Amino acid sequence: MKLIDVHCHLDGGHYGDIDGLLKRVREAQVEKIIAVGFDLPSSEYCAELSKKYDFVYFTAGFHPTELKNYREGDLEKIAELAQDKKCVAIGEIGLDYHYEDTDKPLQAEVFLKQIKLANELKLPVQIHSRDCAEDMLAVLKENTIESGFLLHCYSHSTEIAKELEKLGAYFSFGGTSTYSGSKKAKRTIAALAGSRLLTETDSPYLPPKSKYGTFPNTPESIGEILANMADIRGVDAESMANDVWANAHTLFKKL
């Protein structure tokens, strides 16, 4: 069975021995992982990691809550990174209204600039979207992302998901979808077309049910997340894994 983690964070020193971690990830049948940048230094780190490990790919971009570190000229550096053969997307980018001091105009400005960059480079995007469902839907209706887009760790309603699906969205789900209380995520996983579903861990965050309360979460959790999605959809895990693998390679063409 080929498993894939389309969204994880391997920077920050959370894991100790990164070589040991990635050896265990391969032993857990995770054949490919996408290490996701959230600002310039993390994007550069992910690029370097991808050079060392053949099964590690990466994204480059600015997360909406990390814009305190954003400087003029940074997007040009992101563009340089994104031309690497192993950079599969611009990301993670988007909107996040969770915090009271959110600078919504700045988030929207940088989000749109990065969508434009992705279109120029003919790359898909990985989108972070929290507490902003209506605004996110409006942005994506008004701005075509030409090479496709992923809503990572999808948390909005099933109704919004169906609207986004009409725009060509893909959706990835992580450890929180394995909890019995995650009824909204389970409804959405059941409602979407199988051709739009992907698996992620968002490591080191969001451990699945069997690892509740532990830190760091790791890409080794993908098997549990995949099995849960298969159970929700009433299919066998092998079939679900094959679909997810195909979906990932359809969206992220540089994998």
Side-chain angles (χ1 to χ4, degrees), residues 14-172:
H14 301 298
Y15 306 100
D17 176 16
I18 194 74
D19 295 312
L21 168 68
L22 291 174
K23 183 175 184 292
R24 296 196 308 273
V25 168
R26 289 303 297 269
E27 290 170 350
Q29 296 182 290
V30 182
E31 297 285 333
K32 293 183 180 181
I33 59 177
I34 300 176
V36 173
F38 56 83
D39 61 7
L40 185 57
S42 62
S43 298
E44 291 171 338
Y45 174 86
C46 293
E48 288 303 310
L49 201 64
S50 77
K51 291 180 172 64
K52 186 174 181 181
Y53 300 94
D54 61 356
F55 71 106
V56 175
Y57 297 78
F58 77 99
T59 74
F62 263 88
H63 188 288
T65 66
E66 300 300 319
L67 296 180
K68 61 183 179 296
N69 300 317
Y70 175 74
R71 301 289 183 271
E72 286 300 319
D74 281 351
L75 286 190
E76 286 76 9
K77 296 173 183 176
I78 292 292
E80 291 176 17
L81 288 172
Q83 293 175 66
D84 188 289
K85 66 181 181 180
K86 295 191 79 178
C87 182
V88 301
I90 298 297
E92 66 185 285
I93 67 176
L95 303 173
D96 188 324
Y97 296 170
H98 184 69
Y99 301 103
E100 289 185 4
D101 62 350
T102 295
D103 187 338
K104 293 182 181 180
L106 179 60
Q107 285 194 9
E109 176 190 343
V110 179
F111 186 24
L112 291 173
K113 284 181 177 178
Q114 292 183 98
I115 289 174
K116 181 182 178 185
L117 175 61
N119 286 343
E120 290 171 353
L121 297 176
K122 297 180 170 54
L123 285 173
V125 301
Q126 287 209 12
I127 293 176
H128 172 98
S129 183
R130 182 163 64 158
D131 297 344
C132 62
E134 296 298 334
D135 282 3
M136 179 59 70
L137 182 58
V139 168
L140 296 176
K141 281 184 173 180
E142 294 166 8
N143 298 273
T144 301
I145 303 176
E146 296 169 1
S147 297
F149 60 100
L150 168 70
L151 272 296
H152 108 86
C153 200
Y154 184 77
S155 61
H156 302 313
S157 70
T158 302
E159 291 73 23
I160 292 286
K162 296 301 287 185
E163 290 298 308
L164 291 166
E165 186 178 29
K166 293 174 186 175
L167 301 175
Y170 288 76
F171 304 82
S172 57

Side-chain angles (χ1 to χ4, degrees), residues 208-219:
K209 186 176 180 179
S210 72
K211 299 176 182 176
Y212 177 74
T214 65
F215 185 90
N217 186 29
T218 78

